[in-house]
Every structure is written in C-alpha cells, then in structure tokens.
Amino acid sequence: MLTVESMELHGVHHVAIIASDYERSKAFYTDILGLRVIAENYRAERRSWKLDLAVPGGVRLELFSFPDSPARPSRPEACGLRHLAFAVDDVAAALAELWGRGVVVEEVRVDEFTGRRFGFFLDPDDLPLELYES
C-alpha cells in the first residue's frame, strides 16, 4: 500500500475514456477486447452515455459520450496520459487475434529494462492501447 501523509491509495479504481462515436467504441471495448458490461446509463442532463466495463483484475474502464468533445492529440504524443496497458499471457497471439478482427496493430517489441514483450494498437479514437506480457 502506498501511503502519502494520511492518504492511503489502494490501487487504480477506473480509467475514463471519452468516445467520439459511443456505439463504435462500445462495440470495440466489448466485442473486440471482450470487456464485460457492469452498467450502462444515459445521463439526459449531460446528453451523455456512461458505460462501466470490468477489466480483469478489478480495474474498471468508464466509457463516456459527450457532445462536441474535441479530439485528443495522439501524434505527436501530447502531455498527459500516454496510453492504457492491458496485461496478457502472449502478446504476439493477442495482437494476431486483434489483427484478425480488423484492428491495426504494431509489431511486437521488447522492453529494454524488463525483457517483457509488448505491442501497441489504437482504439476507434486513436487512443494508444498497449498489450504487455505478464
């Protein structure tokens, strides 16, 4: 457990993503990546969908739709959150499966510090996602 003064952090609870096309991103995260829907709610006052997805290991992914959200710069890399990484047993096999489902993937690389294999792909809004071999 990380302790900062009187605050105790127990882990990451969720990561939030804003989608430009809610239905397309919902299909990507549920049908392509296989994340399980925990809850889906439409918030009329914000004209926004909120989809809670279960990521194995206990972290949640929240997918939002907001009208007229500006695009997130991915290239060149912008300051802020760089990417979201998911742990897998076999990076090459997982990337091949994504490729077979029509997702553009990068080649497998090796982390120079850990020796672990990893590879990147993009979500429908070009948010960089990584698969990291556990």
Side-chain angles (χ1 to χ4, degrees), residues 19 32 38 40 56 69 96 133:
I32 302 292
I38 298 169
E40 183 175 31
S69 292
E133 210 159 78

Side-chain angles (χ1 to χ4, degrees), residues 2-90:
L2 174 66
T3 303
V4 180
E5 295 178 20
S6 65
M7 177 179 58
E8 244 181 62
L9 302 180
H10 298 283
V12 174
H13 181 267
H14 69 269
V15 175
I17 297 173
I18 298 171
S20 65
D21 181 328
Y22 177 75
E23 291 300 328
R24 180 178 69 170
S25 290
K26 176 183 173 183
F28 176 82
Y29 284 98
T30 58
D31 298 340
I32 302 292
L33 295 187
L35 299 183
R36 181 179 56 81
V37 174
I38 298 169
E40 183 175 31
N41 296 288
Y42 183 72
R43 302 173 311 166
E45 71 284 356
R46 299 184 81 178
R47 300 179 318 175
S48 170
W49 283 98
K50 179 181 183 281
L51 180 67
D52 294 305
L53 300 165
V55 178
V59 174
R60 292 182 181 205
L61 192 144
E62 294 179 342
L63 184 65
F64 291 95
S65 69
F66 290 113
D68 306 318
S69 292
R72 176 196 183 276
S74 288
R75 292 199 185 359
E77 289 186 294
C79 288
L81 181 65
R82 185 173 185 199
H83 62 266
L84 176 60
F86 298 99
V88 296
D89 290 329
D90 185 334

Side-chain angles (χ1 to χ4, degrees), residues 99-110:
W99 177 260
R101 293 174 175 235
V103 177
V104 176
V105 301
E106 294 181 4
E107 291 185 22
V108 174
R109 294 188 263 170
V110 177

Side-chain angles (χ1 to χ4, degrees), residues 80-129:
L81 181 65
R82 185 173 185 199
H83 62 266
L84 176 60
F86 298 99
V88 296
D89 290 329
D90 185 334
V91 168
L95 289 173
E97 184 174 335
L98 288 171
W99 177 260
R101 293 174 175 235
V103 177
V104 176
V105 301
E106 294 181 4
E107 291 185 22
V108 174
R109 294 188 263 170
V110 177
D111 185 311
E112 63 183 299
F113 301 108
T114 67
R116 304 266 182 170
R117 298 185 314 162
F118 67 97
F120 283 90
F121 61 104
L122 301 173
D123 88 344
D125 286 307
D126 293 334
L127 175 67
L129 301 174

